[in-house]
């Protein structure tokens, strides 16, 4: 009996401890080290003071209350107040509320909108509220129309992120220079904008990279866009389809949802930076002792006039202006001047005055060499000592040696490789200006069967330092370029050494040919450009008949764009608002072109068939869209890991 009582007692204790263990396990599961189920709900607005869309508001302070703790990401960049505020509004988040303090005086009978875009998220999981806009009116009516569209770089159709877009109801051109925009928005990473709270009427629309935050085009360096045509906002009821997915592959249902469709919703603004024609002297550099360079903001056919103050400037320079003549390099002919650390000079040049007119300006400059003469001599002495040691070693070993250090030859380089494209030529580059090119010392030979014959060529100068050899290149033929010593002599008397390069010309079988028919462009001067995967120009063809041909195209993936060359200068030109000049039109072929060896590819392209903002292939787009903020569906994954069925 006592034994039975003892067994029952043990059984109760065992049951008690088992129950405790089960409860502990259950509690451990409920607590879960990963924090339990995730919050998958977006914040909701509970109330606002004044109420959203309230009328006759006369307070500058707005308080918006939410159902959970929230945060506002980068308020200064993401939140846009319209009409634009001259003094930056104060936007504070705290717990479950946002407090906005508008510092500007409220305007009478105006609709105000505070567009938060997707900047509001909950504090823990980052679930976005979505495109939230708060609005109120200081009058009896609140305006609710919207206009939307895209802002693209005029030159390459890249979406522009963060540029201001605004409306004017005043149609005078001068208003862009004199008055702040009426209503504004800012583009997202796709270049897309929506201007809200617009009243019925006719408007002109502009885009502006506002450098000084005054909502006015006040600096020529600011990127802008403008349209000649006015827009009239409107709206109508519409239907859109909302797809409900069972999973990533299967559609559960398609709902038809009614909404208000605002127009226009497809505005395209082509933004550009005007050429800054104001001319100012920027700086002078003497990175190498044998030359110095003047830098200006804009070019001029009237080059600077130099008067030497500690040297004789007569025939002292070889002058090398850049193509735009905004950078001018002066090569010193005399080695005495090269060895002079400081050149003092009086420089007369044209600059823009306060009235925008070019006037003469005289500056006194001291141009210092980056490395002093003493330092250069020390380096030359070190090189001589190293050379002398090498000769001593050779002498002791009984090997040939020199007693006089040879003068370094003029180092002429070229771009030759073992194989040359049939449509390319040979480029020569000199480190210093040349005074003599003896073409009788340049020999080009072509091998026919087993015999070598002289081949004709043209040798021409491209600029101060570059030359080009043009030949009649024939595929599969071997060539030998042989240049005698002293064929090139520079302004310091240095002579080039002998050179010999053997090369071949690639067979036509390794290339593709691309033939493009551009619709709707006959009679217009257009330049069609074949692009690499990095959006760089690989080849280009100029035409006025709508047909562009590309020969000797290496196999690979290519893209294509074209621009309408209005002034027929062979290059894309930007616009100018003050001259009422739009930038030259640019279009992108909306797909990829696959070129194969021994293959002719023909394509027909209508540049206006697709909207501009849809044309540029995403693969070569540098401005990638930001990842959309969405509610994180992490509970389904957690349920899967726990072996629990989870219904979305």
């Amino acid at each position: 009996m006592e034994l039975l009582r003892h067994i029952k007692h043990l059984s109760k204790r065992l049951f008690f401890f088992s129950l405790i263990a089960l409860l502990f396990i259950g509690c451990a599961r409920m607590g879960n080290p990963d924090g339990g189920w995730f919050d998958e709900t977006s914040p909701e607005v509970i109330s606002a003071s004044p109420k959203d869309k309230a009328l006759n508001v006369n307070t500058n302070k707005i308080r918006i209350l939410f159902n959970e703790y929230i945060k506002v990401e980068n308020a200064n960049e993401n939140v846009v107040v319209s009409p634009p505020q001259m003094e930056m509004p104060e936007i504070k988040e705290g717990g479950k509320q946002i407090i906005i303090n508008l510092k500007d005086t409220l305007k009478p009978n105006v609709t105000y909108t505070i567009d938060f875009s997707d900047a509001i998220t909950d504090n823990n999981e980052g679930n976005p509220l979505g495109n939230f806009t708060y609005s109120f009116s200081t009058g009896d009516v609140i305006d609710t129309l919207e206009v939307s569209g895209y802002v693209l770089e005029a030159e390459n159709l890249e979406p522009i992120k963060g540029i201001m877009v605004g409306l004017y109801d005043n149609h005078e051109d001068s208003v862009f220079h004199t008055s702040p925009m009426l209503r504004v928005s800012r583009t997202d990473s796709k270049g897309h904008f929506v201007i809200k709270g617009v009243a019925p009427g006719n408007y002109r629309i502009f885009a502006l990279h506002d450098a000084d935050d005054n909502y006015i085009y006040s600096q020529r360096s600011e990127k802008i866009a403008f349209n000649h045509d006015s827009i009239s906002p409107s709206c109508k009821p519409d239907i859109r389809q909302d797809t409900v997915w069972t999973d990533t592959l299967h559609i559960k249902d398609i709902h038809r949802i009614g909404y208000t469709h605002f127009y226009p919703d497809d505005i395209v603004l082509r933004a550009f930076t005007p050429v800054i024609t104001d001319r100012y002297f920027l700086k002078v550099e003497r990175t190498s002792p044998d030359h110095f360079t003047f830098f200006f903001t804009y070019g001029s056919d009237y080059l600077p006039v130099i008067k030497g103050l500690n040297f004789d400037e007569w025939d002292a320079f070889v002058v090398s202006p850049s193509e735009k003549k905004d950078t001018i390099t002066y090569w010193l002919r005399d080695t005495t001047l090269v060895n002079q650390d400081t050149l003092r000079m009086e420089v007369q040049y044209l600059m823009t005055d306060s009235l925008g007119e070019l006037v003469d300006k005289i500056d006194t400059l001291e141009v210092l060499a980056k490395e002093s003469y003493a330092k250069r001599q020390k380096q030359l002495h070190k090189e001589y000592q190293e050379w002398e040691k090498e000769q001593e070693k050779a002498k002791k070993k009984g090997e040939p040696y020199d007693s006089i250090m040879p003068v370094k030859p003029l180092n002429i380089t070229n771009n030759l490789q073992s194989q040359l494209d049939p449509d390319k030529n040979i480029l020569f580059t000199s480190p210093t200006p040349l005074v003599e090119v003896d073409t009788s010392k340049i020999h080009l030979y072509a091998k026919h069967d087993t015999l070598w014959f002289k081949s004709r060529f043209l040798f021409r100068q491209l600029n101060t330092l570059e030359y080009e050899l043009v030949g009649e290149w024939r595929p599969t033929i071997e060539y030998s370029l042989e240049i005698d010593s002293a064929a090139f002599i520079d302004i310091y008397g240095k002579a080039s050494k002998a050179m010999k390069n053997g090369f071949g010309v690639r067979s036509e079988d390794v290339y593709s040919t691309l033939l493009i028919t551009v619709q709707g462009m006959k009679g217009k001067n257009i330049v069609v450009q074949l692009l690499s995967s990095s959006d760089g120009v690989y080849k280009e063809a100029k035409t006025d008949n709508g047909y562009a041909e590309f020969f000797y195209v290496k196999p690979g993936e290519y893209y294509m764009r074209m621009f309408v060359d209005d002034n027929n200068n062979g290059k894309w030109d930007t616009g100018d608002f003050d001259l009422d000049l739009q930038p030259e039109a640019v279009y992108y072929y909306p797909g990829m072109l696959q070129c194969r060896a021994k293959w002719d590819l023909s394509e027909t392209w209508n540049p206006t068939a697709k909207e501009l903002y849809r044309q540029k292939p995403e693969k070569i787009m540098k401005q990638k869209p930001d990842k959309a903020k969405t509610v994180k569906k992490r509970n389904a994954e957690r349920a899967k890991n726990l072996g629990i069925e989870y219904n979305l």
Side-chain angles (χ1 to χ4, degrees):
M1 193 72 177
E2 186 66 29
L3 178 62
L4 184 60
R5 191 182 299 110
H6 183 66
I7 291 172
K8 284 183 178 180
H9 178 68
L10 287 175
S11 297
K12 285 181 179 179
R13 292 184 66 185
L14 182 62
F15 174 77
F16 175 77
F17 284 119
S18 298
L19 182 61
I20 292 295
L22 287 171
L23 287 172
F24 178 80
I25 293 170
C27 288
R29 278 193 172 181
M30 288 176 68
N32 204 296
D34 65 9
W37 298 106
F38 297 104
D39 175 17
E40 290 188 351
T41 59
S42 298
E44 295 180 8
V45 176
I46 294 177
S47 63
S49 176
K51 291 182 179 180
D52 187 21
K53 297 182 176 57
L55 304 178
N56 299 308
V57 173
N58 58 11
T59 178
N60 291 56
K61 194 169 185 177
I62 299 117
R63 179 175 175 270
I64 305 173
L65 186 64
F66 297 85
N67 66 335
E68 59 180 310
Y69 292 100
I70 54 91
K71 58 185 177 182
V72 182
E73 297 180 0
N74 298 324
N76 289 341
E77 295 181 13
N78 295 327
V79 181
V80 179
V81 179
S82 199
Q85 304 293 288
M86 295 300 105
E87 188 173 352
M88 183 67 68
E90 186 181 71
I91 300 173
K92 291 182 178 180
E93 60 185 68
K96 298 182 179 181
Q97 67 178 1
I98 297 173
I99 298 175
I100 304 106
N101 188 12
L102 302 178
K103 300 295 186 69
D104 288 2
T105 303
L106 294 180
K107 299 177 181 179
N109 301 313
V110 169
T111 295
Y112 281 76
T113 57
I114 304 173
D115 188 353
F116 290 89
S117 186
D118 59 356
I120 300 175
T121 62
D122 66 24
N123 196 50
N124 293 323
E125 301 297 338
N127 296 314
L129 173 57
N131 292 318
F132 172 62
T133 301
Y134 169 87
S135 61
F136 66 88
S137 173
T138 57
D140 297 331
V141 176
I142 190 163
D143 300 315
T144 58
L145 293 176
E146 300 176 5
V147 296
S148 59
Y150 296 83
V151 183
L152 309 175
E153 286 280 3
E155 186 174 7
N156 55 26
L157 302 193
E158 281 282 318
I160 300 179
K161 179 181 179 180
I163 193 170
M164 192 74 67
V165 186
L167 300 177
Y168 286 101
D169 57 3
N170 183 336
H171 290 233
E172 295 292 329
D173 286 337
S174 60
V175 70
F176 196 25
H177 281 304
T178 58
S179 300
M181 296 172 173
L182 195 65
R183 304 206 66 79
V184 294
S185 178
R186 202 185 298 274
T187 56
D188 62 16
S189 60
K190 297 178 182 179
H192 186 251
F193 67 88
V194 182
I195 303 176
K196 301 179 180 180
V198 182
N202 293 318
Y203 299 90
R204 286 194 67 185
I205 188 166
F206 297 82
L208 172 67
H209 252 155
D210 194 8
D212 44 14
D213 295 324
N214 62 357
Y215 303 94
I216 295 172
Y217 177 35
S218 54
Q219 299 182 34
R220 196 170 173 83
S221 60
E222 292 174 323
K223 188 186 296 291
I224 62 167
F226 66 98
N227 271 357
H228 289 105
D229 300 331
S230 63
I231 58 174
S232 300
S234 63
C235 65
K236 70 171 186 177
D238 209 339
I239 300 290
R240 67 166 178 259
Q241 292 184 343
D242 189 9
T243 304
V244 181
W245 296 85
T246 303
D247 52 40
T248 56
L249 296 176
H250 302 91
I251 295 175
K252 181 178 181 180
D253 200 358
I254 297 178
H255 297 159
R256 290 170 59 83
I257 299 174
Y259 75 104
T260 302
H261 195 152
F262 294 98
Y263 295 94
D265 60 354
D266 57 356
I267 300 167
V268 175
L269 295 170
R270 298 183 299 123
F272 61 92
T273 303
V275 174
I276 301 175
T277 55
D278 290 346
R279 192 169 196 260
Y280 302 105
F281 175 68
L282 294 174
K283 62 179 178 178
V284 58
E285 286 185 347
R286 191 182 174 191
T287 55
S288 178
D290 55 9
H291 68 274
F292 59 88
T293 304
F294 290 153
F295 295 88
F296 293 88
T297 56
Y298 193 67
S300 172
D301 290 331
Y302 176 73
L303 298 181
V305 176
I306 295 177
K307 178 183 178 182
L309 299 180
N310 64 346
F311 65 93
D312 185 2
E313 76 278 0
W314 174 252
D315 201 30
F317 312 119
V318 173
V319 184
S320 177
S322 64
E323 183 182 357
K324 295 181 179 179
K325 297 180 181 177
D326 54 356
T327 304
I328 304 104
T329 298
Y330 295 82
W331 293 88
L332 304 172
R333 292 181 183 272
D334 191 343
T335 53
T336 304
L337 290 184
V338 174
N339 295 333
Q340 192 168 315
D341 287 343
T342 303
L343 300 174
R344 295 184 65 248
M345 63 189 74
E346 186 179 270
V347 183
Q348 181 180 355
Y349 59 91
L350 289 178
M351 68 163 284
T352 304
D353 65 7
S354 58
L355 299 176
E357 300 293 333
L358 285 174
V359 296
D360 279 325
K361 167 77 171 174
I362 297 177
D363 283 338
T364 300
L365 302 174
E366 285 193 351
V367 183
L368 278 67
K370 189 174 182 180
E371 283 190 345
S372 68
Y373 175 72
K375 187 174 182 180
R376 299 198 304 274
Q377 289 299 110
K378 187 177 180 180
Q379 178 62 31
L380 288 173
H381 182 66
K382 182 179 178 181
E383 291 175 5
Y384 176 78
Q385 287 180 321
E386 291 175 354
W387 172 85
E388 196 174 38
K389 287 178 182 178
E390 290 176 2
Q391 303 312 307
E392 285 293 328
K393 287 180 182 178
K395 184 178 179 181
K396 288 179 181 179
K397 293 179 180 179
E399 298 174 351
Y401 67 93
D402 291 324
S403 57
I404 299 176
M405 186 176 182
V407 177
K408 288 183 179 180
L410 178 64
N411 185 27
I412 300 291
T413 59
N414 63 54
N415 65 339
L416 261 178
Q417 297 179 349
S418 60
Q419 294 289 313
L420 185 69
D421 293 323
D423 59 341
K424 295 291 191 297
N425 292 306
I426 303 172
L427 182 69
F428 291 83
T429 304
S430 173
T432 49
L434 302 179
V435 292
E436 184 180 341
V437 177
D438 189 347
T439 55
S440 69
K441 295 183 177 182
I442 302 174
H443 315 283
L444 181 66
Y445 300 100
K447 188 177 183 181
H448 297 273
D449 295 327
T450 58
L451 300 176
W452 289 93
F453 298 91
K454 277 196 171 184
S455 184
R456 294 187 302 172
F457 65 88
L458 171 67
F459 197 85
R460 61 190 181 190
Q461 185 172 4
L462 301 179
N463 54 51
T464 304
L465 302 179
E466 292 184 323
Y467 295 78
E468 184 181 47
L469 188 148
V470 182
E472 296 177 344
W473 312 123
R474 297 182 182 180
T476 70
I477 297 292
E478 282 187 66
Y479 291 87
S480 178
L481 176 63
E482 301 175 15
I483 302 177
D484 302 335
S485 60
F488 306 100
I489 299 175
D490 76 354
I491 58 177
Y492 306 117
K494 279 189 176 182
S496 61
K497 62 183 179 180
M499 293 180 279
K500 184 176 180 179
N501 296 89
F503 62 96
V505 177
R506 291 186 177 90
S507 167
E508 294 181 356
D509 290 344
V510 303
Y511 299 100
S512 176
T513 299
L514 180 60
L515 307 172
I516 304 295
T517 301
V518 185
Q519 294 179 336
M521 293 294 166
K522 283 187 178 180
K524 293 183 179 180
N525 295 309
I526 62 172
V527 176
V528 183
Q529 297 174 324
L530 198 59
L531 308 173
S532 66
S533 57
S534 61
D535 205 24
V537 178
Y538 171 64
K539 287 179 180 286
E540 67 178 28
K542 189 174 180 180
T543 178
D544 61 359
N545 61 12
Y547 297 99
E549 300 173 325
F550 297 95
F551 300 102
Y552 305 116
V553 179
K554 292 180 181 179
E557 295 180 356
Y558 295 93
Y559 299 85
M560 189 165 55
R561 73 171 169 232
M562 59 153 282
F563 65 87
V564 180
D565 190 12
D566 291 325
N567 57 4
N568 201 24
N569 66 352
K571 61 182 181 180
W572 180 84
D573 290 292
T574 189
D576 192 310
F577 175 74
D578 294 319
L579 298 177
D580 195 27
L581 183 67
Q582 289 283 357
E584 290 179 332
V586 172
Y587 303 93
Y588 269 76
Y589 183 78
M592 183 267 290
L593 298 164
Q594 181 72 55
C595 293
R596 298 180 175 87
K598 296 192 292 187
W599 190 269
D600 290 349
L601 179 62
S602 297
E603 291 288 332
T604 299
W605 176 24
N606 181 354
T608 60
K610 200 168 188 178
E611 300 94 334
L612 275 183
Y613 63 89
R614 298 182 187 275
Q615 286 190 7
K616 188 167 187 177
E618 188 174 346
K619 190 172 180 180
I620 60 172
M621 201 176 284
K622 294 178 176 62
Q623 172 56 55
K624 302 294 184 183
D626 291 340
K627 189 175 181 181
K629 290 182 180 178
T630 58
V631 173
K632 301 177 180 69
K633 301 294 184 182
R634 293 192 287 178
N635 284 332
E637 185 65 27
R638 182 173 182 272
K640 181 181 177 182
N641 294 335
L642 293 173
I644 301 172
E645 184 177 351
Y646 179 79
N647 294 318
L648 295 174

